[in-house]
């Protein structure tokens, strides 16, 4: 999937939004009618909703990684 800027004037496809689209979500081999056009406000809302569902796992601390390698706990 790719997110691209829109060069022409198209309406947002998300819900009942009637703003002009600023970005398009597309992929390789996707027909032009299957692309999803969205305005910046809807894109921001989608980003916030997805961010609440998918939380990235924090990386392992450098100290705890060294302790695991040595097999000791401080």
């Amino acid at each position: 999937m790719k997110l691209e800027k829109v060069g022409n004037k198209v309406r947002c496809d998300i819900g009942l939004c009637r703003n002009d689209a600023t970005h398009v979500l597309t992929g390789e081999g996707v027909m032009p009618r299957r692309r999803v056009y969205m305005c910046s406000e809807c894109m921001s809302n989608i980003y916030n909703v997805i961010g609440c569902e998918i939380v990235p796992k924090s990386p392992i601390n450098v100290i705890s990684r060294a302790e695991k390698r040595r097999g000791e706990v401080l």
Side-chain angles (χ1 to χ4, degrees):
M1 301 223 103
K2 294 187 297 185
L3 187 66
E4 299 173 351
K5 293 243 182 202
V6 175
N8 50 358
K9 187 174 180 177
V10 182
R11 283 197 173 172
C12 182
D13 288 336
I14 308 299
L16 299 174
C17 181
R18 293 295 176 201
N19 295 334
D20 290 337
T22 57
H23 292 83
V24 60
L25 185 64
T26 185
E28 191 160 329
V30 176
M31 296 184 322
R33 297 194 51 85
R34 298 287 183 186
R35 295 178 182 163
V36 179
Y37 293 93
M38 61 188 113
C39 64
S40 58
E41 184 179 328
C42 290
M43 189 170 64
S44 177
N45 290 339
I46 291 171
Y47 178 76
N48 290 333
V49 170
I50 291 173
C52 291
E53 290 294 319
I54 302 172
V55 179
K57 185 178 174 184
S58 62
I60 298 175
N61 189 330
V62 176
I63 296 172
S64 63
R65 188 180 327 152
E67 290 173 353
K68 285 181 183 179
R69 271 191 258 145
R70 286 184 283 173
E72 60 186 52
V73 177
L74 296 175

Short mmCIF file of all heavy atoms in Angstrom, two decimals:
data_model
loop_
_atom_site.label_atom_id
_atom_site.label_comp_id
_atom_site.label_asym_id
_atom_site.label_seq_id
_atom_site.Cartn_x
_atom_site.Cartn_y
_atom_site.Cartn_z
N MET A 1 0.83 -1.17 0.00
CA MET A 1 0.00 0.00 0.00
C MET A 1 0.88 1.24 0.00
O MET A 1 1.95 1.24 0.60
CB MET A 1 -0.89 0.02 1.23
CG MET A 1 -1.81 -1.16 1.37
SD MET A 1 -3.41 -0.63 1.90
CE MET A 1 -4.32 -0.72 0.41
N LYS A 2 0.39 2.27 -0.66
CA LYS A 2 1.11 3.54 -0.72
C LYS A 2 0.15 4.67 -0.41
O LYS A 2 -1.04 4.59 -0.69
CB LYS A 2 1.68 3.77 -2.13
CG LYS A 2 2.75 2.79 -2.54
CD LYS A 2 3.37 3.18 -3.86
CE LYS A 2 2.34 3.15 -4.97
NZ LYS A 2 2.90 3.41 -6.30
N LEU A 3 0.68 5.71 0.19
CA LEU A 3 -0.08 6.92 0.46
C LEU A 3 0.54 8.03 -0.36
O LEU A 3 1.72 8.33 -0.23
CB LEU A 3 -0.02 7.26 1.95
CG LEU A 3 -0.89 8.41 2.41
CD1 LEU A 3 -2.36 8.04 2.27
CD2 LEU A 3 -0.60 8.75 3.85
N GLU A 4 -0.27 8.63 -1.24
CA GLU A 4 0.24 9.65 -2.15
C GLU A 4 -0.59 10.92 -2.02
O GLU A 4 -1.74 10.88 -1.58
CB GLU A 4 0.16 9.15 -3.60
CG GLU A 4 0.96 7.90 -3.87
CD GLU A 4 0.72 7.36 -5.26
OE1 GLU A 4 -0.20 7.85 -5.96
OE2 GLU A 4 1.43 6.43 -5.66
N LYS A 5 0.01 12.04 -2.41
CA LYS A 5 -0.71 13.32 -2.45
C LYS A 5 -1.57 13.35 -3.71
O LYS A 5 -1.21 12.80 -4.74
CB LYS A 5 0.28 14.48 -2.48
CG LYS A 5 1.06 14.62 -1.21
CD LYS A 5 0.74 15.93 -0.60
CE LYS A 5 1.59 16.07 0.66
NZ LYS A 5 1.01 16.99 1.56
N VAL A 6 -2.71 14.02 -3.61
CA VAL A 6 -3.63 14.13 -4.74
C VAL A 6 -3.30 15.40 -5.51
O VAL A 6 -3.11 16.46 -4.93
CB VAL A 6 -5.09 14.18 -4.24
CG1 VAL A 6 -6.03 14.44 -5.39
CG2 VAL A 6 -5.44 12.90 -3.53
N GLY A 7 -3.23 15.29 -6.83
CA GLY A 7 -2.92 16.44 -7.67
C GLY A 7 -4.15 17.13 -8.23
O GLY A 7 -4.12 18.31 -8.56
N ASN A 8 -5.26 16.41 -8.28
CA ASN A 8 -6.48 17.00 -8.83
C ASN A 8 -7.54 17.14 -7.74
O ASN A 8 -7.36 16.67 -6.63
CB ASN A 8 -7.00 16.16 -9.99
CG ASN A 8 -7.10 14.70 -9.64
OD1 ASN A 8 -6.75 14.30 -8.54
ND2 ASN A 8 -7.57 13.90 -10.56
N LYS A 9 -8.67 17.75 -8.07
CA LYS A 9 -9.71 18.00 -7.09
C LYS A 9 -10.66 16.81 -7.03
O LYS A 9 -11.36 16.50 -7.99
CB LYS A 9 -10.48 19.27 -7.45
CG LYS A 9 -11.46 19.70 -6.41
CD LYS A 9 -12.08 21.03 -6.74
CE LYS A 9 -13.07 21.42 -5.66
NZ LYS A 9 -13.66 22.73 -5.89
N VAL A 10 -10.67 16.14 -5.86
CA VAL A 10 -11.50 14.96 -5.64
C VAL A 10 -12.09 15.09 -4.24
O VAL A 10 -11.45 15.63 -3.33
CB VAL A 10 -10.65 13.66 -5.73
CG1 VAL A 10 -11.51 12.44 -5.56
CG2 VAL A 10 -9.90 13.61 -7.03
N ARG A 11 -13.28 14.57 -4.05
CA ARG A 11 -13.89 14.61 -2.72
C ARG A 11 -13.41 13.45 -1.86
O ARG A 11 -13.05 12.39 -2.36
CB ARG A 11 -15.41 14.53 -2.84
CG ARG A 11 -16.00 15.84 -3.26
CD ARG A 11 -17.46 15.83 -2.96
NE ARG A 11 -17.99 17.16 -3.21
CZ ARG A 11 -19.27 17.45 -3.20
NH1 ARG A 11 -20.14 16.51 -2.95
NH2 ARG A 11 -19.67 18.67 -3.43
N CYS A 12 -13.48 13.66 -0.55
CA CYS A 12 -13.09 12.64 0.43
C CYS A 12 -14.10 11.49 0.39
O CYS A 12 -15.30 11.71 0.28
CB CYS A 12 -13.04 13.29 1.82
SG CYS A 12 -12.53 12.17 3.13
N ASP A 13 -13.60 10.25 0.48
CA ASP A 13 -14.45 9.05 0.44
C ASP A 13 -14.87 8.57 1.82
O ASP A 13 -15.66 7.63 1.92
CB ASP A 13 -13.70 7.90 -0.25
CG ASP A 13 -13.55 8.11 -1.73
OD1 ASP A 13 -14.35 8.85 -2.31
OD2 ASP A 13 -12.62 7.51 -2.32
N ILE A 14 -14.36 9.15 2.87
CA ILE A 14 -14.61 8.64 4.22
C ILE A 14 -15.95 9.15 4.75
O ILE A 14 -16.15 10.36 4.90
CB ILE A 14 -13.48 9.06 5.18
CG1 ILE A 14 -12.11 8.68 4.61
CG2 ILE A 14 -13.68 8.45 6.56
CD1 ILE A 14 -11.89 7.22 4.37
N GLY A 15 -16.85 8.23 5.05
CA GLY A 15 -18.14 8.57 5.65
C GLY A 15 -18.92 9.60 4.87
O GLY A 15 -19.04 9.54 3.65
N LEU A 16 -19.47 10.59 5.58
CA LEU A 16 -20.26 11.65 4.97
C LEU A 16 -19.46 12.92 4.76
O LEU A 16 -20.01 13.98 4.54
CB LEU A 16 -21.49 11.94 5.83
CG LEU A 16 -22.46 10.78 6.03
CD1 LEU A 16 -23.54 11.16 7.02
CD2 LEU A 16 -23.06 10.35 4.71
N CYS A 17 -18.15 12.82 4.84
CA CYS A 17 -17.27 13.99 4.69
C CYS A 17 -17.36 14.51 3.26
O CYS A 17 -17.33 13.76 2.29
CB CYS A 17 -15.83 13.59 5.02
SG CYS A 17 -14.66 14.94 4.91
N ARG A 18 -17.45 15.82 3.13
CA ARG A 18 -17.54 16.44 1.80
C ARG A 18 -16.37 17.38 1.53
O ARG A 18 -16.44 18.21 0.64
CB ARG A 18 -18.86 17.20 1.66
CG ARG A 18 -20.07 16.31 1.67
CD ARG A 18 -20.05 15.42 0.46
NE ARG A 18 -21.16 14.48 0.50
CZ ARG A 18 -21.17 13.37 -0.18
NH1 ARG A 18 -20.15 13.03 -0.92
NH2 ARG A 18 -22.21 12.56 -0.11
N ASN A 19 -15.28 17.22 2.27
CA ASN A 19 -14.09 18.04 2.03
C ASN A 19 -13.34 17.54 0.80
O ASN A 19 -13.56 16.43 0.33
CB ASN A 19 -13.15 17.98 3.24
CG ASN A 19 -13.77 18.61 4.47
OD1 ASN A 19 -14.63 19.47 4.37
ND2 ASN A 19 -13.35 18.16 5.63
N ASP A 20 -12.45 18.36 0.29
CA ASP A 20 -11.60 17.95 -0.82
C ASP A 20 -10.49 17.04 -0.30
O ASP A 20 -9.89 17.30 0.74
CB ASP A 20 -10.99 19.17 -1.51
CG ASP A 20 -12.02 19.97 -2.28
OD1 ASP A 20 -13.06 19.39 -2.65
OD2 ASP A 20 -11.79 21.17 -2.52
N ALA A 21 -10.23 15.97 -1.02
CA ALA A 21 -9.20 15.01 -0.63
C ALA A 21 -7.81 15.60 -0.83
O ALA A 21 -7.57 16.33 -1.79
CB ALA A 21 -9.35 13.73 -1.43
N THR A 22 -6.91 15.28 0.08
CA THR A 22 -5.52 15.70 -0.02
C THR A 22 -4.59 14.52 -0.26
O THR A 22 -3.49 14.69 -0.76
CB THR A 22 -5.07 16.44 1.24
OG1 THR A 22 -5.26 15.58 2.37
CG2 THR A 22 -5.83 17.73 1.44
N HIS A 23 -5.04 13.31 0.09
CA HIS A 23 -4.22 12.10 -0.04
C HIS A 23 -5.05 10.97 -0.63
O HIS A 23 -6.27 10.95 -0.50
CB HIS A 23 -3.67 11.66 1.32
CG HIS A 23 -2.68 12.60 1.88
ND1 HIS A 23 -3.04 13.74 2.56
CD2 HIS A 23 -1.33 12.60 1.86
CE1 HIS A 23 -1.95 14.38 2.95
NE2 HIS A 23 -0.90 13.71 2.52
N VAL A 24 -4.37 10.03 -1.24
CA VAL A 24 -5.02 8.85 -1.79
C VAL A 24 -4.26 7.62 -1.31
O VAL A 24 -3.03 7.59 -1.28
CB VAL A 24 -5.10 8.89 -3.33
CG1 VAL A 24 -3.72 8.96 -3.96
CG2 VAL A 24 -5.86 7.71 -3.87
N LEU A 25 -5.01 6.60 -0.89
CA LEU A 25 -4.44 5.32 -0.45
C LEU A 25 -4.60 4.35 -1.61
O LEU A 25 -5.72 4.08 -2.06
CB LEU A 25 -5.19 4.81 0.78
CG LEU A 25 -4.67 3.56 1.43
CD1 LEU A 25 -3.26 3.79 1.97
CD2 LEU A 25 -5.59 3.13 2.54
N THR A 26 -3.49 3.87 -2.11
CA THR A 26 -3.50 3.01 -3.29
C THR A 26 -2.47 1.90 -3.12
O THR A 26 -1.70 1.90 -2.17
CB THR A 26 -3.23 3.83 -4.56
OG1 THR A 26 -3.36 2.97 -5.69
CG2 THR A 26 -1.86 4.44 -4.55
N GLY A 27 -2.49 0.98 -4.02
CA GLY A 27 -1.52 -0.11 -4.01
C GLY A 27 -1.20 -0.52 -5.42
O GLY A 27 -1.82 -0.05 -6.39
N GLU A 28 -0.26 -1.42 -5.56
CA GLU A 28 0.13 -1.86 -6.89
C GLU A 28 -0.94 -2.78 -7.45
O GLU A 28 -1.40 -3.71 -6.78
CB GLU A 28 1.47 -2.59 -6.83
CG GLU A 28 2.04 -2.85 -8.19
CD GLU A 28 3.52 -3.11 -8.15
OE1 GLU A 28 4.18 -2.56 -7.26
OE2 GLU A 28 3.98 -3.84 -9.00
N GLY A 29 -1.40 -2.51 -8.65
CA GLY A 29 -2.41 -3.32 -9.29
C GLY A 29 -3.83 -2.96 -8.88
O GLY A 29 -4.77 -3.65 -9.25
N VAL A 30 -4.01 -1.89 -8.11
CA VAL A 30 -5.34 -1.48 -7.68
C VAL A 30 -5.99 -0.65 -8.79
O VAL A 30 -5.37 0.27 -9.32
CB VAL A 30 -5.26 -0.65 -6.37
CG1 VAL A 30 -6.61 -0.13 -5.97
CG2 VAL A 30 -4.67 -1.49 -5.26
N MET A 31 -7.23 -0.98 -9.09
CA MET A 31 -7.95 -0.23 -10.11
C MET A 31 -8.21 1.19 -9.61
O MET A 31 -8.38 1.40 -8.41
CB MET A 31 -9.29 -0.91 -10.42
CG MET A 31 -9.12 -2.28 -11.03
SD MET A 31 -10.67 -3.07 -11.54
CE MET A 31 -11.84 -2.64 -10.32
N PRO A 32 -8.24 2.17 -10.50
CA PRO A 32 -8.46 3.56 -10.08
C PRO A 32 -9.74 3.77 -9.28
O PRO A 32 -9.79 4.61 -8.39
CB PRO A 32 -8.50 4.33 -11.40
CG PRO A 32 -7.70 3.51 -12.34
CD PRO A 32 -7.94 2.09 -11.93
N ARG A 33 -10.78 3.01 -9.54
CA ARG A 33 -12.03 3.18 -8.80
C ARG A 33 -11.97 2.58 -7.40
O ARG A 33 -12.85 2.81 -6.59
CB ARG A 33 -13.19 2.58 -9.58
CG ARG A 33 -13.39 3.30 -10.90
CD ARG A 33 -14.67 3.01 -11.57
NE ARG A 33 -15.88 3.16 -10.80
CZ ARG A 33 -16.55 4.29 -10.63
NH1 ARG A 33 -16.09 5.40 -11.15
NH2 ARG A 33 -17.66 4.31 -9.94
N ARG A 34 -10.95 1.79 -7.10
CA ARG A 34 -10.80 1.15 -5.79
C ARG A 34 -9.89 1.94 -4.86
O ARG A 34 -9.67 1.52 -3.72
CB ARG A 34 -10.24 -0.26 -5.94
CG ARG A 34 -11.10 -1.18 -6.73
CD ARG A 34 -12.30 -1.57 -5.94
NE ARG A 34 -13.09 -2.52 -6.72
CZ ARG A 34 -14.26 -2.95 -6.35
NH1 ARG A 34 -14.79 -2.53 -5.23
NH2 ARG A 34 -14.92 -3.79 -7.10
N ARG A 35 -9.36 3.04 -5.30
CA ARG A 35 -8.50 3.87 -4.45
C ARG A 35 -9.35 4.58 -3.41
O ARG A 35 -10.52 4.86 -3.64
CB ARG A 35 -7.75 4.88 -5.29
CG ARG A 35 -6.78 4.24 -6.24
CD ARG A 35 -6.10 5.26 -7.08
NE ARG A 35 -5.21 4.60 -8.03
CZ ARG A 35 -4.72 5.17 -9.09
NH1 ARG A 35 -5.01 6.42 -9.36
NH2 ARG A 35 -3.92 4.51 -9.89
N VAL A 36 -8.75 4.88 -2.25
CA VAL A 36 -9.47 5.57 -1.18
C VAL A 36 -8.90 6.98 -1.07
O VAL A 36 -7.73 7.16 -0.73
CB VAL A 36 -9.31 4.82 0.16
CG1 VAL A 36 -10.03 5.57 1.26
CG2 VAL A 36 -9.83 3.41 0.04
N TYR A 37 -9.74 7.95 -1.35
CA TYR A 37 -9.35 9.35 -1.25
C TYR A 37 -9.80 9.88 0.11
O TYR A 37 -10.91 9.60 0.54
CB TYR A 37 -10.01 10.16 -2.37
CG TYR A 37 -9.50 9.80 -3.73
CD1 TYR A 37 -10.14 8.85 -4.51
CD2 TYR A 37 -8.36 10.41 -4.25
CE1 TYR A 37 -9.66 8.52 -5.76
CE2 TYR A 37 -7.88 10.10 -5.50
CZ TYR A 37 -8.53 9.15 -6.25
OH TYR A 37 -8.05 8.82 -7.49
N MET A 38 -8.91 10.66 0.79
CA MET A 38 -9.27 11.19 2.09
C MET A 38 -8.66 12.57 2.32
O MET A 38 -7.59 12.87 1.81
CB MET A 38 -8.88 10.23 3.20
CG MET A 38 -7.41 9.92 3.32
SD MET A 38 -7.12 8.62 4.49
CE MET A 38 -6.56 7.36 3.39
N CYS A 39 -9.39 13.37 3.08
CA CYS A 39 -8.89 14.70 3.42
C CYS A 39 -7.94 14.58 4.61
O CYS A 39 -7.85 13.53 5.25
CB CYS A 39 -10.06 15.64 3.74
SG CYS A 39 -11.01 15.19 5.19
N SER A 40 -7.26 15.65 4.94
CA SER A 40 -6.28 15.60 6.02
C SER A 40 -6.95 15.40 7.38
O SER A 40 -6.40 14.75 8.26
CB SER A 40 -5.44 16.87 6.03
OG SER A 40 -6.27 18.00 6.16
N GLU A 41 -8.17 15.92 7.55
CA GLU A 41 -8.88 15.76 8.82
C GLU A 41 -9.28 14.29 9.04
O GLU A 41 -9.07 13.75 10.13
CB GLU A 41 -10.13 16.64 8.83
CG GLU A 41 -10.88 16.63 10.13
CD GLU A 41 -12.08 17.54 10.08
OE1 GLU A 41 -12.03 18.58 9.38
OE2 GLU A 41 -13.08 17.21 10.74
N CYS A 42 -9.82 13.66 8.02
CA CYS A 42 -10.20 12.24 8.13
C CYS A 42 -8.96 11.36 8.30
O CYS A 42 -9.00 10.38 9.06
CB CYS A 42 -11.00 11.81 6.92
SG CYS A 42 -12.65 12.53 6.84
N MET A 43 -7.88 11.69 7.61
CA MET A 43 -6.66 10.92 7.74
C MET A 43 -6.11 11.01 9.16
O MET A 43 -5.67 10.02 9.73
CB MET A 43 -5.61 11.40 6.74
CG MET A 43 -4.40 10.50 6.68
SD MET A 43 -3.29 10.86 5.32
CE MET A 43 -2.74 12.48 5.74
N SER A 44 -6.20 12.18 9.77
CA SER A 44 -5.75 12.37 11.15
C SER A 44 -6.62 11.56 12.11
O SER A 44 -6.12 10.94 13.05
CB SER A 44 -5.79 13.85 11.50
OG SER A 44 -5.44 14.05 12.84
N ASN A 45 -7.94 11.56 11.88
CA ASN A 45 -8.85 10.79 12.73
C ASN A 45 -8.57 9.29 12.63
O ASN A 45 -8.57 8.58 13.63
CB ASN A 45 -10.30 11.08 12.37
CG ASN A 45 -10.72 12.47 12.76
OD1 ASN A 45 -10.12 13.10 13.61
ND2 ASN A 45 -11.77 12.96 12.12
N ILE A 46 -8.34 8.80 11.41
CA ILE A 46 -8.03 7.38 11.21
C ILE A 46 -6.72 7.03 11.90
O ILE A 46 -6.59 5.98 12.54
CB ILE A 46 -7.97 7.05 9.71
CG1 ILE A 46 -9.38 7.12 9.11
CG2 ILE A 46 -7.37 5.67 9.47
CD1 ILE A 46 -9.42 7.01 7.61
N TYR A 47 -5.74 7.90 11.81
CA TYR A 47 -4.44 7.68 12.45
C TYR A 47 -4.60 7.56 13.96
O TYR A 47 -4.02 6.68 14.59
CB TYR A 47 -3.49 8.83 12.09
CG TYR A 47 -2.14 8.73 12.74
CD1 TYR A 47 -1.19 7.84 12.26
CD2 TYR A 47 -1.81 9.52 13.84
CE1 TYR A 47 0.05 7.75 12.85
CE2 TYR A 47 -0.57 9.44 14.43
CZ TYR A 47 0.36 8.55 13.94
OH TYR A 47 1.58 8.45 14.53
N ASN A 48 -5.42 8.43 14.56
CA ASN A 48 -5.64 8.38 16.01
C ASN A 48 -6.37 7.11 16.43
O ASN A 48 -6.03 6.51 17.46
CB ASN A 48 -6.42 9.61 16.46
CG ASN A 48 -5.61 10.87 16.37
OD1 ASN A 48 -4.39 10.84 16.45
ND2 ASN A 48 -6.27 11.99 16.18
N VAL A 49 -7.36 6.67 15.65
CA VAL A 49 -8.10 5.46 15.99
C VAL A 49 -7.20 4.23 15.88
O VAL A 49 -7.20 3.37 16.76
CB VAL A 49 -9.33 5.31 15.06
CG1 VAL A 49 -9.98 3.95 15.21
CG2 VAL A 49 -10.33 6.41 15.36
N ILE A 50 -6.40 4.15 14.83
CA ILE A 50 -5.49 3.02 14.66
C ILE A 50 -4.42 3.04 15.75
O ILE A 50 -4.03 2.00 16.28
CB ILE A 50 -4.86 3.03 13.25
CG1 ILE A 50 -5.92 2.71 12.21
CG2 ILE A 50 -3.71 2.03 13.15
CD1 ILE A 50 -5.46 2.86 10.79
N GLY A 51 -3.96 4.24 16.13
CA GLY A 51 -2.95 4.36 17.18
C GLY A 51 -3.43 3.87 18.53
O GLY A 51 -2.64 3.39 19.35
N CYS A 52 -4.74 3.96 18.78
CA CYS A 52 -5.30 3.44 20.04
C CYS A 52 -5.36 1.92 20.03
O CYS A 52 -5.29 1.29 21.08
CB CYS A 52 -6.69 4.02 20.27
SG CYS A 52 -6.70 5.77 20.62
N GLU A 53 -5.51 1.31 18.88
CA GLU A 53 -5.62 -0.14 18.77
C GLU A 53 -4.26 -0.83 18.68
O GLU A 53 -4.06 -1.88 19.25
CB GLU A 53 -6.45 -0.52 17.54
CG GLU A 53 -7.91 -0.18 17.68
CD GLU A 53 -8.61 -1.00 18.75
OE1 GLU A 53 -8.34 -2.21 18.87
OE2 GLU A 53 -9.43 -0.42 19.47
N ILE A 54 -3.35 -0.24 17.93
CA ILE A 54 -2.03 -0.85 17.72
C ILE A 54 -0.99 0.00 18.42
O ILE A 54 -0.65 1.09 17.97
CB ILE A 54 -1.70 -0.94 16.21
CG1 ILE A 54 -2.76 -1.75 15.49
CG2 ILE A 54 -0.32 -1.55 16.01
CD1 ILE A 54 -2.62 -1.75 13.99
N VAL A 55 -0.49 -0.50 19.55
CA VAL A 55 0.51 0.21 20.33
C VAL A 55 1.84 -0.50 20.13
O VAL A 55 1.94 -1.71 20.35
CB VAL A 55 0.13 0.23 21.83
CG1 VAL A 55 1.18 0.96 22.64
CG2 VAL A 55 -1.24 0.87 22.01
N PRO A 56 2.88 0.22 19.71
CA PRO A 56 4.16 -0.45 19.47
C PRO A 56 4.79 -0.94 20.77
O PRO A 56 4.62 -0.35 21.83
CB PRO A 56 5.03 0.64 18.83
CG PRO A 56 4.37 1.92 19.15
CD PRO A 56 2.93 1.64 19.39
N LYS A 57 5.48 -2.06 20.68
CA LYS A 57 6.16 -2.65 21.82
C LYS A 57 7.45 -1.87 22.06
O LYS A 57 8.20 -1.57 21.14
CB LYS A 57 6.47 -4.11 21.53
CG LYS A 57 7.08 -4.85 22.67
CD LYS A 57 7.30 -6.30 22.29
CE LYS A 57 8.05 -7.03 23.39
NZ LYS A 57 8.35 -8.41 22.99
N SER A 58 7.72 -1.55 23.32
CA SER A 58 8.93 -0.79 23.63
C SER A 58 10.16 -1.67 23.48
O SER A 58 10.12 -2.87 23.75
CB SER A 58 8.86 -0.23 25.05
OG SER A 58 8.78 -1.27 25.98
N PRO A 59 11.29 -1.09 23.07
CA PRO A 59 12.52 -1.88 22.91
C PRO A 59 13.08 -2.32 24.26
O PRO A 59 12.81 -1.71 25.29
CB PRO A 59 13.47 -0.92 22.20
CG PRO A 59 12.95 0.43 22.49
CD PRO A 59 11.48 0.30 22.69
N ILE A 60 13.88 -3.38 24.22
CA ILE A 60 14.50 -3.90 25.45
C ILE A 60 15.56 -2.91 25.93
O ILE A 60 16.35 -2.40 25.14
CB ILE A 60 15.13 -5.28 25.19
CG1 ILE A 60 14.05 -6.28 24.76
CG2 ILE A 60 15.85 -5.78 26.41
CD1 ILE A 60 14.60 -7.63 24.37
N ASN A 61 15.54 -2.65 27.20
CA ASN A 61 16.50 -1.76 27.83
C ASN A 61 17.92 -2.32 27.68
O ASN A 61 18.13 -3.53 27.76
CB ASN A 61 16.14 -1.62 29.31
CG ASN A 61 16.94 -0.56 30.00
OD1 ASN A 61 18.06 -0.30 29.63
ND2 ASN A 61 16.34 0.04 31.00
N VAL A 62 18.89 -1.46 27.49
CA VAL A 62 20.28 -1.89 27.31
C VAL A 62 20.79 -2.61 28.55
O VAL A 62 21.49 -3.63 28.44
CB VAL A 62 21.18 -0.66 26.99
CG1 VAL A 62 22.63 -1.07 26.90
CG2 VAL A 62 20.73 0.01 25.71
N ILE A 63 20.45 -2.14 29.73
CA ILE A 63 20.92 -2.77 30.97
C ILE A 63 20.30 -4.15 31.14
O ILE A 63 21.00 -5.11 31.48
CB ILE A 63 20.59 -1.87 32.18
CG1 ILE A 63 21.37 -0.55 32.06
CG2 ILE A 63 20.92 -2.57 33.49
CD1 ILE A 63 20.98 0.49 33.07
N SER A 64 18.99 -4.26 30.93
CA SER A 64 18.36 -5.57 31.10
C SER A 64 18.84 -6.56 30.04
O SER A 64 18.93 -7.76 30.32
CB SER A 64 16.84 -5.44 31.06
OG SER A 64 16.41 -4.98 29.81
N ARG A 65 19.18 -6.09 28.85
CA ARG A 65 19.71 -6.97 27.82
C ARG A 65 21.07 -7.52 28.25
O ARG A 65 21.35 -8.71 28.07
CB ARG A 65 19.85 -6.21 26.50
CG ARG A 65 20.22 -7.11 25.35
CD ARG A 65 20.38 -6.40 24.03
NE ARG A 65 19.50 -5.27 23.86
CZ ARG A 65 19.77 -4.21 23.09
NH1 ARG A 65 20.91 -4.15 22.44
NH2 ARG A 65 18.92 -3.22 22.98
N ALA A 66 21.93 -6.67 28.84
CA ALA A 66 23.24 -7.12 29.31
C ALA A 66 23.09 -8.11 30.47
O ALA A 66 23.83 -9.09 30.56
CB ALA A 66 24.07 -5.92 29.75
N GLU A 67 22.12 -7.87 31.35
CA GLU A 67 21.89 -8.79 32.46
C GLU A 67 21.43 -10.15 31.95
O GLU A 67 21.85 -11.19 32.48
CB GLU A 67 20.84 -8.21 33.41
CG GLU A 67 21.34 -7.03 34.20
CD GLU A 67 20.23 -6.37 35.01
OE1 GLU A 67 19.05 -6.76 34.85
OE2 GLU A 67 20.54 -5.49 35.79
N LYS A 68 20.59 -10.17 30.95
CA LYS A 68 20.11 -11.43 30.41
C LYS A 68 21.25 -12.21 29.78
O LYS A 68 21.32 -13.45 29.88
CB LYS A 68 19.02 -11.20 29.38
CG LYS A 68 17.69 -10.83 29.98
CD LYS A 68 16.65 -10.64 28.91
CE LYS A 68 15.34 -10.20 29.52
NZ LYS A 68 14.31 -9.99 28.50
N ARG A 69 22.17 -11.51 29.12
CA ARG A 69 23.31 -12.20 28.50
C ARG A 69 24.22 -12.80 29.55
O ARG A 69 24.74 -13.90 29.38
CB ARG A 69 24.12 -11.22 27.65
CG ARG A 69 23.62 -11.15 26.23
CD ARG A 69 24.57 -10.39 25.36
NE ARG A 69 23.99 -9.05 25.20
CZ ARG A 69 24.65 -7.94 25.11
NH1 ARG A 69 25.95 -7.93 25.13
NH2 ARG A 69 24.03 -6.80 24.98
N ARG A 70 24.43 -12.10 30.66
CA ARG A 70 25.31 -12.58 31.74
C ARG A 70 24.60 -13.59 32.62
O ARG A 70 25.24 -14.36 33.30
CB ARG A 70 25.80 -11.42 32.59
CG ARG A 70 26.85 -10.58 31.88
CD ARG A 70 27.36 -9.53 32.80
NE ARG A 70 26.32 -8.48 32.85
CZ ARG A 70 26.32 -7.44 33.63
NH1 ARG A 70 27.31 -7.27 34.47
NH2 ARG A 70 25.38 -6.55 33.59
N GLY A 71 23.26 -13.55 32.65
CA GLY A 71 22.51 -14.47 33.47
C GLY A 71 22.41 -14.03 34.93
O GLY A 71 22.10 -14.82 35.79
N GLU A 72 22.66 -12.77 35.21
CA GLU A 72 22.58 -12.29 36.58
C GLU A 72 21.54 -11.18 36.68
O GLU A 72 21.21 -10.52 35.71
CB GLU A 72 23.93 -11.74 37.05
CG GLU A 72 24.42 -10.57 36.22
CD GLU A 72 25.81 -10.14 36.62
OE1 GLU A 72 26.71 -11.00 36.66
OE2 GLU A 72 25.99 -8.93 36.84
N VAL A 73 21.02 -11.01 37.87
CA VAL A 73 20.04 -9.97 38.13
C VAL A 73 20.58 -9.09 39.24
O VAL A 73 21.03 -9.56 40.28
CB VAL A 73 18.69 -10.58 38.56
CG1 VAL A 73 17.68 -9.49 38.89
CG2 VAL A 73 18.16 -11.51 37.48
N LEU A 74 20.56 -7.77 39.02
CA LEU A 74 21.05 -6.84 40.03
C LEU A 74 19.98 -6.46 41.02
O LEU A 74 18.88 -6.34 40.83
CB LEU A 74 21.61 -5.58 39.38
CG LEU A 74 22.82 -5.79 38.50
CD1 LEU A 74 23.19 -4.48 37.81
CD2 LEU A 74 23.99 -6.31 39.30
#
